[in-house]
Amino acid sequence: QRILDEYNTELVIISGDADPISFFSARNDVQYIVWSLEDEYKQLSKFDLMIRPMADTEWINGKGGYTSIIRCMSVGIPVIASLIEPLREITTPDESILFASTSEEWYSKMKQLIEDPELRDRIGTKARSEINQQGLWTEDYAAQLQEILVSVGS
């Protein structure tokens, strides 16, 4: 809310439904978009940065609740996220992703990225490069799965 009050910006919330989060329901600078696979790239390509708070729980870690982060990183969008174990393993903090846990950290990191377009660019570029190098694309996973199935079948 502080960021929206202090900067001429917009918060776009992508979710499974278009029901406003009551906290933001009266704001004109908050937009809701229903996620769809067909429109995902078009939706993401409009963003300057992504914020993704989430709990570091077994459920989130196991179900891949962080895949939206990987998608944004893969198209060069700088991300501020909660520090969860899988992200710690596949990213370089402060180079390809920013982590926040307290309200002040979230505010500070958002402010930093809003005010420094070169930093946004640098983190987004590093994020895209890191995702490419680590083979985190669906096609990479499919190739790995195929290799496993072939080796088990032999």
Side-chain angles (χ1 to χ4, degrees):
Q1 188 163 349
R2 278 173 62 191
I3 291 292
L4 291 171
D5 290 342
E6 292 176 23
Y7 294 91
N8 182 22
T9 190
E10 180 180 47
L11 174 65
V12 178
I13 298 173
I14 297 179
S15 67
D17 61 52
D19 288 336
I21 297 171
S22 60
F23 183 75
F24 293 119
S25 60
R27 296 197 69 112
N28 294 327
D29 50 5
V30 178
Q31 178 185 358
Y32 296 88
I33 297 176
V34 176
W35 177 86
S36 77
L37 183 58
E38 298 80 27
D39 294 331
E40 182 180 56
Y41 180 76
K42 184 174 77 175
Q43 292 169 342
L44 295 180
S45 65
K46 297 177 184 176
F47 295 162
D48 293 317
L49 63 99
M50 175 201 202
I51 56 173
R52 183 65 165 94
M54 66 188 109
D56 188 13
T57 65
E58 193 173 330
W59 171 252
I60 292 291
N61 294 338
K63 81 174 190 99
Y66 55 91
T67 55
S68 58
I69 293 170
I70 301 301
R71 286 185 173 116
C72 283
M73 291 176 71
S74 72
V75 295
I77 298 169
V79 175
I80 306 167
S82 301
L83 180 57
I84 63 168
E85 192 56 40
L87 289 176
R88 183 190 323 257
E89 295 171 7
I90 62 173
T91 62
T92 307
D94 297 326
E95 290 183 28
S96 64
I97 190 168
L98 299 176
F99 290 115
S101 57
T102 66
S103 296
E104 194 53 42
E105 285 177 356
W106 283 99
Y107 171 78
S108 171
K109 305 280 175 148
M110 283 187 271
K111 181 177 175 172
Q112 189 178 15
L113 287 178
I114 289 169
E115 293 179 354
D116 191 343
E118 289 178 9
L119 177 62
R120 280 198 314 267
D121 231 21
R122 193 167 54 250
I123 290 175
T125 299
K126 175 71 173 168
R128 183 176 175 92
S129 171
E130 210 163 72
I131 297 304
N132 284 333
Q133 288 173 346
Q134 293 185 35
L136 295 174
W137 297 94
T138 302
E139 293 82 6
D140 297 318
Y141 284 124
Q144 290 172 8
L145 179 59
Q146 184 178 11
E147 286 177 27
I148 292 168
L149 292 174
V150 167
S151 71
V152 171
S154 301

PDB file of all heavy atoms in Angstrom, residues 15-21 32-34:
ATOM      1  N   SER A  15      -4.361 -14.178 -10.770  1.00  0.00           N
ATOM      2  CA  SER A  15      -4.773 -15.315  -9.947  1.00  0.00           C
ATOM      3  C   SER A  15      -5.764 -16.167 -10.727  1.00  0.00           C
ATOM      4  O   SER A  15      -6.069 -15.888 -11.879  1.00  0.00           O
ATOM      5  CB  SER A  15      -5.396 -14.830  -8.638  1.00  0.00           C
ATOM      6  OG  SER A  15      -6.617 -14.173  -8.893  1.00  0.00           O
ATOM      7  N   GLY A  16      -6.259 -17.183 -10.057  1.00  0.00           N
ATOM      8  CA  GLY A  16      -7.204 -18.097 -10.689  1.00  0.00           C
ATOM      9  C   GLY A  16      -8.594 -17.512 -10.855  1.00  0.00           C
ATOM     10  O   GLY A  16      -9.406 -18.033 -11.606  1.00  0.00           O
ATOM     11  N   ASP A  17      -8.886 -16.431 -10.149  1.00  0.00           N
ATOM     12  CA  ASP A  17     -10.185 -15.775 -10.319  1.00  0.00           C
ATOM     13  C   ASP A  17     -10.018 -14.266 -10.205  1.00  0.00           C
ATOM     14  O   ASP A  17      -8.994 -13.775  -9.779  1.00  0.00           O
ATOM     15  CB  ASP A  17     -11.211 -16.299  -9.310  1.00  0.00           C
ATOM     16  CG  ASP A  17     -10.792 -16.055  -7.871  1.00  0.00           C
ATOM     17  OD1 ASP A  17     -10.472 -14.902  -7.526  1.00  0.00           O
ATOM     18  OD2 ASP A  17     -10.813 -17.011  -7.076  1.00  0.00           O
ATOM     19  N   ALA A  18     -11.033 -13.553 -10.597  1.00  0.00           N
ATOM     20  CA  ALA A  18     -10.944 -12.088 -10.652  1.00  0.00           C
ATOM     21  C   ALA A  18     -11.541 -11.409  -9.428  1.00  0.00           C
ATOM     22  O   ALA A  18     -11.767 -10.211  -9.445  1.00  0.00           O
ATOM     23  CB  ALA A  18     -11.638 -11.584 -11.911  1.00  0.00           C
ATOM     24  N   ASP A  19     -11.811 -12.166  -8.373  1.00  0.00           N
ATOM     25  CA  ASP A  19     -12.372 -11.559  -7.168  1.00  0.00           C
ATOM     26  C   ASP A  19     -11.315 -10.717  -6.475  1.00  0.00           C
ATOM     27  O   ASP A  19     -10.232 -11.209  -6.154  1.00  0.00           O
ATOM     28  CB  ASP A  19     -12.869 -12.639  -6.203  1.00  0.00           C
ATOM     29  CG  ASP A  19     -14.127 -13.310  -6.709  1.00  0.00           C
ATOM     30  OD1 ASP A  19     -14.846 -12.686  -7.513  1.00  0.00           O
ATOM     31  OD2 ASP A  19     -14.379 -14.460  -6.306  1.00  0.00           O
ATOM     32  N   PRO A  20     -11.613  -9.450  -6.256  1.00  0.00           N
ATOM     33  CA  PRO A  20     -10.637  -8.568  -5.607  1.00  0.00           C
ATOM     34  C   PRO A  20     -10.312  -9.016  -4.192  1.00  0.00           C
ATOM     35  O   PRO A  20     -11.162  -9.546  -3.485  1.00  0.00           O
ATOM     36  CB  PRO A  20     -11.338  -7.211  -5.573  1.00  0.00           C
ATOM     37  CG  PRO A  20     -12.464  -7.309  -6.525  1.00  0.00           C
ATOM     38  CD  PRO A  20     -12.828  -8.758  -6.621  1.00  0.00           C
ATOM     39  N   ILE A  21      -9.076  -8.803  -3.811  1.00  0.00           N
ATOM     40  CA  ILE A  21      -8.672  -9.003  -2.426  1.00  0.00           C
ATOM     41  C   ILE A  21      -9.234  -7.810  -1.665  1.00  0.00           C
ATOM     42  O   ILE A  21      -9.006  -6.666  -2.046  1.00  0.00           O
ATOM     43  CB  ILE A  21      -7.142  -9.069  -2.321  1.00  0.00           C
ATOM     44  CG1 ILE A  21      -6.626 -10.272  -3.103  1.00  0.00           C
ATOM     45  CG2 ILE A  21      -6.692  -9.118  -0.862  1.00  0.00           C
ATOM     46  CD1 ILE A  21      -5.127 -10.310  -3.257  1.00  0.00           C
ATOM     47  N   TYR A  32      -6.931  -6.712 -11.550  1.00  0.00           N
ATOM     48  CA  TYR A  32      -6.986  -8.161 -11.378  1.00  0.00           C
ATOM     49  C   TYR A  32      -7.079  -8.817 -12.743  1.00  0.00           C
ATOM     50  O   TYR A  32      -7.880  -8.420 -13.584  1.00  0.00           O
ATOM     51  CB  TYR A  32      -8.206  -8.556 -10.532  1.00  0.00           C
ATOM     52  CG  TYR A  32      -8.106  -8.011  -9.134  1.00  0.00           C
ATOM     53  CD1 TYR A  32      -8.576  -6.738  -8.838  1.00  0.00           C
ATOM     54  CD2 TYR A  32      -7.514  -8.744  -8.127  1.00  0.00           C
ATOM     55  CE1 TYR A  32      -8.460  -6.215  -7.556  1.00  0.00           C
ATOM     56  CE2 TYR A  32      -7.394  -8.229  -6.844  1.00  0.00           C
ATOM     57  CZ  TYR A  32      -7.869  -6.971  -6.576  1.00  0.00           C
ATOM     58  OH  TYR A  32      -7.748  -6.462  -5.319  1.00  0.00           O
ATOM     59  N   ILE A  33      -6.252  -9.815 -12.953  1.00  0.00           N
ATOM     60  CA  ILE A  33      -6.250 -10.559 -14.211  1.00  0.00           C
ATOM     61  C   ILE A  33      -6.385 -12.041 -13.867  1.00  0.00           C
ATOM     62  O   ILE A  33      -5.705 -12.544 -12.972  1.00  0.00           O
ATOM     63  CB  ILE A  33      -4.932 -10.345 -14.995  1.00  0.00           C
ATOM     64  CG1 ILE A  33      -4.774  -8.883 -15.385  1.00  0.00           C
ATOM     65  CG2 ILE A  33      -4.875 -11.247 -16.221  1.00  0.00           C
ATOM     66  CD1 ILE A  33      -3.455  -8.576 -16.078  1.00  0.00           C
ATOM     67  N   VAL A  34      -7.230 -12.734 -14.598  1.00  0.00           N
ATOM     68  CA  VAL A  34      -7.358 -14.170 -14.434  1.00  0.00           C
ATOM     69  C   VAL A  34      -6.270 -14.832 -15.282  1.00  0.00           C
ATOM     70  O   VAL A  34      -6.157 -14.566 -16.479  1.00  0.00           O
ATOM     71  CB  VAL A  34      -8.763 -14.664 -14.855  1.00  0.00           C
ATOM     72  CG1 VAL A  34      -8.849 -16.181 -14.764  1.00  0.00           C
ATOM     73  CG2 VAL A  34      -9.831 -14.009 -13.994  1.00  0.00           C
TER      74      VAL A  34
END
